[in-house]
Amino acid sequence: MKFKIGELRHPEVVKLLQEHHQDMLSLSPPESVHALDLTALEKADITFVSVWIDNRLAGVGALKELENGHGEIKSMRTSKAFLRQGIAANILNFIIEQATMRSYNRLSLETGTMEAFKPAHKLYLSFGFTECPPFGSYKVDPNSLFLTKVL
């Protein structure tokens, strides 16, 4: 398993991010979809990571700095060929390590509330994330679940 920072414009990464965005739009109303596009993921306050196994894209994720000491997990997605193989847990570990190295004291995320998001809920809860109110520019939304973890 190889982690690469950047590689955002790699064709396989672009394809996975497009799949991710379309999937989010199929599950949630557009106003409740907070997945970032390629341009947004390239901003200086975001660190994008891709995970590769045998030169095949296994998954992606990003860490966004919200404010001093507070980061947000964005755009986590596992490639279909690698589902249920621990890729998301490895990406989450990597992002938590990055946040810790940056001396963040809190890491938060927004995810959906629908049944399709239950595996993600289980993963985040197993890593010690707990429910929290909306953070940053988010608003209360019945389609969003907000989670945070003190580091």
Side-chain angles (χ1 to χ4, degrees), residues 17-37 72 74-75 110-114 117 138 141 143-144 146:
L17 288 170
Q18 288 171 338
E19 174 187 302
H20 176 63
H21 194 74
Q22 289 303 312
D23 195 30
M24 296 303 99
L25 287 170
S26 75
L27 296 168
S28 303
E31 64 275 8
S32 296
V33 174
H34 303 287
L36 299 178
D37 64 16
E72 178 183 8
K74 298 295 294 181
S75 301
E110 178 277 338
T111 189
T113 57
M114 296 73 164
F117 293 97
Y138 291 107
D141 180 345
N143 299 300
S144 290
F146 303 98

Side-chain angles (χ1 to χ4, degrees), residues 8 14 16-18 20-22 24 33-43 45-48 60 62-66 72-76 110 138:
L8 195 53
V14 170
L16 183 60
L17 288 170
Q18 288 171 338
H20 176 63
H21 194 74
Q22 289 303 312
M24 296 303 99
V33 174
H34 303 287
L36 299 178
D37 64 16
L38 288 173
T39 303
L41 286 168
E42 288 177 320
K43 292 190 176 177
D45 61 346
I46 295 180
T47 300
F48 181 83
V60 297
L63 174 60
K64 177 180 182 179
E65 183 169 316
L66 294 176
E72 178 183 8
I73 298 169
K74 298 295 294 181
S75 301
M76 273 196 43
E110 178 277 338
Y138 291 107

